[in-house]
Amino acid sequence: MRYALYFTPSKDHPLTGAASLWLGRDAFSGETYPAPEHEMLGAAEQFELTADPRRYGFHATIKAPFSLAASVTEKDFMTVVEDFAARTPAFEIPELVLGQLGPFFALVPGSLHQPLQDFAAKVVKSFEPFRAALSPADMARRNPEKLSDGQRANLQRWGYPYVMEDFGFHMTLTGQVPETRAEMMKAILTERFADFIGRPLSITGLAVFTEETRGAPFKVHSWLPLTGAKS
């Protein structure tokens, strides 16, 4: 069993519904959906291009998947997550935009938002005592030779390269899109997520996702509202 601390909107949020339909699976309910046909993108191709984010569920990684340390129980962990959420104020990202991160597409902040960076760093630090050390195989999966010095240091210290100064909030919508299909994908996603692009996004909760066995779909174990959250 692995656990992860992710941001995802609440179960009934319109963005959760739109993203679940696009990815083909709802991480809250486990319900799956067929890929809709589009004049520029067939269902089979969409299903293939969304396979990786579909397994993880719609989310932004805050603390990447980890096994619990041997001395920690799930109850111990959840008690602290609940307390953390109750003490952490909700806040808002001023603008959400469609971003292209190399061959991947994701919803990202329009600009660096320091409260978001601070929130992510606080989560990573607060729950580090609950994380089991990475195995050599886990370390190798991250291809440390391809990381920057700072990212390798993060991997050693925090179990994940993209934290602290290297953290970039993103809610992934695709796997690797071939360069020849990138403009098409950008147009489709701009249309599909038009109700959310160019608008604020409220960070109202912290979700615990679980992966029962390696490679299994991640599911929402618990969604904890942050203090003062309106939804």
Side-chain angles (χ1 to χ4, degrees):
M1 174 79 82
R2 290 198 300 169
Y3 298 80
L5 292 164
Y6 289 162
F7 167 75
T8 191
S10 62
K11 180 178 181 179
D12 299 322
H13 193 286
L15 178 54
T16 300
S20 296
L21 288 173
W22 166 254
L23 295 178
R25 186 173 71 88
D26 185 324
F28 283 91
S29 66
E31 188 174 357
T32 57
Y33 311 98
E37 286 285 355
H38 190 282
E39 60 184 9
M40 294 189 291
L41 181 67
E45 185 181 5
Q46 182 189 325
F47 194 76
E48 179 182 349
L49 291 176
T50 55
D52 194 47
R54 179 166 54 253
R55 182 173 89 81
Y56 283 89
F58 182 60
H59 76 283
T61 298
I62 307 296
K63 191 164 184 66
F66 60 94
S67 299
L68 291 179
S71 60
V72 177
T73 67
E74 181 181 286
K75 184 178 179 181
D76 297 333
F77 173 60
M78 288 306 306
T79 297
V80 178
V81 179
E82 290 164 9
D83 180 64
F84 179 93
R87 291 186 292 104
T88 302
F91 61 98
E92 189 173 81
I93 299 173
E95 183 187 26
L96 198 65
V97 300
L98 179 65
Q100 188 172 351
L101 312 173
F104 303 90
F105 285 85
L107 295 173
V108 301
S111 59
L112 183 73
H113 187 54
Q114 197 57 47
L116 177 59
Q117 300 297 115
D118 294 344
F119 169 73
K122 185 179 177 184
V123 171
V124 170
K125 291 175 182 176
S126 297
F127 293 95
E128 182 62 11
F130 295 88
R131 181 179 69 84
L134 293 181
S135 69
D138 286 330
M139 297 282 274
R141 283 190 195 99
R142 291 292 175 191
N143 298 313
E145 69 282 357
K146 296 181 180 179
L147 300 174
S148 69
D149 290 345
Q151 290 164 354
R152 277 195 298 275
N154 285 336
L155 181 61
Q156 291 282 352
R157 175 66 183 86
W158 306 108
Y160 191 59
Y162 309 111
V163 296
M164 308 307 171
E165 292 81 5
D166 286 284
F167 173 72
F169 180 97
H170 59 283
M171 306 189 79
T172 307
L173 297 174
T174 72
Q176 297 189 45
V177 177
E179 193 173 340
T180 55
R181 304 294 275 160
E183 283 302 313
M184 172 274 302
M185 182 61 76
K186 182 178 179 180
I188 291 174
L189 291 172
T190 298
E191 176 188 324
R192 288 291 297 257
F193 292 92
D195 289 346
F196 312 100
I197 292 170
R199 299 186 180 185
L201 176 67
S202 294
I203 304 298
T204 56
L206 183 63
V208 176
F209 278 55
T210 55
E211 179 197 41
E212 290 188 7
T213 57
R214 285 296 180 106
F218 278 79
K219 302 174 184 176
V220 177
H221 174 287
S222 303
W223 189 90
L224 292 311
L226 302 182
T227 186
K230 295 183 173 65
S231 62

